[in-house]
Amino acid sequence: MNEKRYVIAMDQGTTSSRCLLFDRQGNIRGAAQKEFPQIYPQPGWVEHDPADIWSTQISVTLEAMQKAGAHAGDIAAIGITNQRETALVWDAATGKPVYNAIVWQCRRTADRIERLRRDGLEESVRQKTGLIPDAYFSASKLEWILDNVPGLRKRAEQGELRFGTVDTWLIWNLTEGRVHATDYTNASRTMLFDIHKLQWDQELLDYFQIPSSLLPQVLPSSCLFGTTEKLGSPIPITAAAGDQQAALFGQCGFAPGDVKSTYGTGGFLLMNTGKKAVSSKRGLLTTIAASADGQVRYALEGSVFIAGAAIQWLRDELKMVTSAAQTEGICNRLEDAGGVYVVPAFVGLGAPYWEPYARGTIVGLTRGVTREHLIRAVTESLAYQTNDLLTAMQEESGLTLSSLKVDGGASANSFLMQFQADLSNLLIQRPQCIETTALGAAYLAGLASSFWKDLGEIQSNWTCERTFSPSISQERRQELLKGWKRAVRCAMAWARDED
């Protein structure tokens, strides 16, 4: 019998679809990535074409297999990790989308969330779902689609439609409509799922007028979801997890107190809190962590809406750089950002502020400020926002951190990692493989398919590529942070509707 050599990780992100093939040592043996269009129908609105999500994901999977010289028979299992909260609705019979995917960044339902608060549901949402009511999550997006696309509300009530986050959409397409399922981590981001009872909450479904027939079955992150024949011979799909929970797992964050920070399109800090769901008073979210033993684990999470997306803005909209990698050299050539702070609140501010109406702000401009200063200020903004989350998380958990594991595309920027160490006064540990989101999906899939035997085997794969140590004085640190706090106040002042 042909021995299985690889696990496939499908990593469906906000701006691109990727696929990586991992071997038993956690090494990448084949990889492919393809960006797809972002759709902005109005300011603050963000959509994706579901057909783009599916077509790019399946094409990069075939490409990655080809690069590895792998056939379907070489693949032990498929794990899926995905941009979370993005909402899709499709026809149950044909599998055709009935509207574009409304992306997690989209702010179109911010007013609807204000109404939810006025209706007195904020505390109930917090207690059941662990979330702070926000347009970020899927519930109000799903309601918007049903209310604003003619005829959909009736069709939903007749059981003709299906809803899912991106993992559900991919599983549906991979299994040709045989499986309509999600996992605990993605369900916990919909604002419709009771994370304590592990079931869809009827009160919230009634409030948003969402028929239960739309909703997927909810399964553990590491289990058999179904089988696909899209890649040749049958391959089991044995994992699904939201990207941030997958990254925590990929960083071997298995124990309570383990923390990781991901620098992707957004920025996300997660702390494993074990079997205890810690309730936050500092704007952090309580969410379900990915686990491979069938036992439910919880995490505290802080979310930054715009991180790497700010670097893409420099590249694509402002044309200040031609590649994200250029920013490192430019930042290193400067002493500082020339007194400039950029708060990239393009779609509001996430944790710990939760101000949906804040907008991007540049402060501290003088005649001497150059393009390079602006590039450095944007890059620094990723570290400032992450530091806000670190401060809140340490206060909330009562734990004092000494180090932080990092991952995601922007963690390759050594200037940014050094600045993060300086700002946060922590050792920053960058692993050999920064593709920990995909790695986590692969590990979850590989454990469920016996490709890896246990967590210990996985832990032995984790190696640190570089450690960044703090190198500035406490006075300088406080000076920088004071300026950042002032800049954030300016961004939030924009949200106040005052004459």
Side-chain angles (χ1 to χ4, degrees):
M1 183 180 157
N2 181 25
E3 188 190 347
K4 307 295 185 186
R5 295 191 293 157
Y6 307 114
V7 172
I8 282 177
M10 293 185 176
D11 183 358
Q12 204 300 303
T14 309
T15 56
S16 68
S17 295
R18 297 189 301 164
C19 178
L20 293 93
L21 270 66
F22 291 96
D23 65 16
R24 285 178 204 282
Q25 288 70 48
N27 298 316
I28 298 168
R29 293 302 184 191
Q33 179 170 353
K34 190 171 186 182
E35 291 193 0
F36 56 88
Q38 307 295 299
I39 302 165
Y40 305 107
Q42 293 182 31
W45 291 29
V46 192
E47 296 179 0
H48 292 155
D49 182 339
D52 287 341
I53 292 174
W54 167 242
S55 64
T56 54
Q57 190 62 65
I58 197 70
S59 70
V60 293
T61 302
L62 290 165
E63 187 184 338
M65 288 172 67
Q66 187 180 21
K67 285 181 177 176
H71 303 285
D74 299 318
I75 309 300
I78 293 170
I80 295 170
T81 183
N82 56 284
Q83 52 165 314
R84 304 168 303 170
E85 300 96 15
T86 295
L88 301 94
V89 180
W90 61 92
D91 184 300
T94 66
K96 292 257 190 310
V98 296
Y99 189 75
N100 278 342
I102 300 184
V103 181
W104 58 272
Q105 298 162 318
C106 187
R107 307 311 297 169
R108 77 185 64 187
T109 58
D111 290 347
R112 176 67 181 91
I113 299 299
E114 293 297 329
R115 180 150 56 91
L116 178 146
R117 289 198 173 95
R118 289 196 300 273
D119 291 342
L121 259 76
E122 181 167 7
E123 194 50 41
S124 177
V125 166
R126 278 175 183 254
Q127 286 177 5
K128 291 175 175 180
T129 70
L131 307 176
I132 292 165
D134 194 82
Y136 174 32
F137 306 109
S138 316
S140 59
K141 303 180 198 302
L142 171 54
E143 181 192 50
W144 189 95
I145 292 172
L146 296 182
D147 284 342
N148 288 276
V149 181
L152 283 201
R153 175 67 66 190
K154 187 177 180 188
R155 293 190 64 200
E157 287 161 3
Q158 291 170 344
E160 296 174 14
L161 302 178
R162 296 291 178 265
F163 156 76
T165 41
V166 168
D167 58 312
T168 305
W169 172 240
L170 293 177
I171 291 167
W172 177 279
N173 281 284
L174 285 165
T175 62
E176 298 179 273
R178 294 188 302 276
V179 181
H180 184 219
T182 188
D183 85 300
Y184 289 143
T185 68
N186 277 293
S188 74
R189 312 297 294 191
T190 59
M191 215 169 78
L192 297 169
F193 190 73
D194 189 317
I195 62 171
H196 310 286
K197 295 179 181 174
L198 302 180
Q199 62 188 35
W200 299 112
D201 183 76
Q202 195 58 51
E203 183 193 4
L204 291 171
L205 295 181
D206 291 343
Y207 178 74
F208 287 105
Q209 295 182 279
I210 294 167
S212 57
S213 62
L214 262 81
L215 302 170
Q217 180 186 6
V218 188
L219 299 169
S221 300
S222 181
C223 75
L224 180 63
F225 283 79
T227 302
T228 183
E229 296 183 22
K230 291 284 188 183
L231 303 171
S233 53
I235 303 172
I237 304 161
T238 55
D243 51 10
Q244 302 316 315
Q245 287 97 333
L248 181 62
F249 200 84
Q251 286 275 37
C252 301
F254 309 138
D258 286 348
V259 187
K260 70 87 199 171
S261 180
T262 296
Y263 302 79
T265 302
F268 301 90
L269 193 72
L270 262 75
M271 175 188 282
N272 187 326
T273 61
K275 294 182 180 179
K276 186 183 179 193
V278 175
S279 186
S280 171
K281 295 176 179 63
R282 287 287 322 270
L284 302 176
L285 307 175
T286 308
T287 197
I288 297 180
S291 58
D293 56 6
Q295 302 290 309
V296 171
R297 303 286 192 284
Y298 294 93
L300 267 179
E301 175 174 331
S303 312
V304 169
F305 295 152
I306 300 291
I311 307 292
Q312 288 174 326
W313 171 69
L314 284 177
R315 182 193 69 190
D316 299 341
E317 275 75 33
L318 298 192
K319 315 290 186 199
M320 286 190 173
V321 292
T322 53
S323 73
Q326 271 184 290
T327 59
E328 183 176 342
I330 291 167
C331 290
N332 277 325
R333 288 197 292 273
L334 296 173
E335 281 293 308
D336 53 38
V340 174
Y341 289 86
V342 175
V343 183
F346 302 151
V347 290
L349 284 169
Y353 306 106
W354 294 104
E355 177 46 81
Y357 301 107
R359 285 296 174 264
T361 307
I362 304 172
V363 298
L365 289 174
T366 60
R367 182 67 180 80
V369 168
T370 64
R371 159 184 162 270
E372 286 80 7
H373 286 118
L374 199 59
I375 290 166
R376 177 155 169 162
V378 168
T379 307
E380 288 181 352
S381 75
L382 278 64
Y384 282 117
Q385 292 179 101
T386 300
N387 187 68
D388 286 341
L389 300 180
L390 280 164
T391 302
M393 198 165 278
Q394 290 184 89
E395 288 177 10
E396 202 89 83
S397 65
L399 297 170
T400 302
L401 303 178
S402 58
S403 65
L404 176 68
K405 288 180 176 178
V406 297
D407 54 60
S411 70
N413 186 322
S414 294
F415 164 80
L416 174 60
M417 294 301 98
Q418 182 59 54
F419 192 72
Q420 189 73 73
D422 291 343
L423 214 54
S424 308
N425 203 23
L426 293 174
L427 290 175
I428 302 296
Q429 295 179 308
R430 184 168 67 194
Q432 198 77 47
C433 176
I434 62 171
E435 300 289 358
T436 53
T437 299
L439 189 57
Y443 283 158
L444 289 161
L447 287 165
S449 59
S450 302
F451 187 77
W452 288 289
K453 68 175 188 292
D454 56 27
L455 296 179
E457 188 179 356
I458 283 169
Q459 242 155 346
S460 66
N461 286 344
W462 195 93
T463 50
C464 185
E465 179 259 334
R466 185 171 169 188
T467 299
F468 299 85
S469 303
S471 63
I472 63 172
S473 68
Q474 185 63 14
E475 293 73 31
R476 177 62 179 150
R477 183 176 297 118
Q478 291 308 319
E479 184 188 343
L480 289 168
L481 291 171
K482 185 179 176 185
W484 170 253
K485 289 188 175 83
R486 287 180 67 195
V488 169
R489 286 199 297 273
C490 291
M492 292 176 73
W494 177 263
R496 299 186 197 110
D497 189 14
E498 296 172 357
D499 293 328

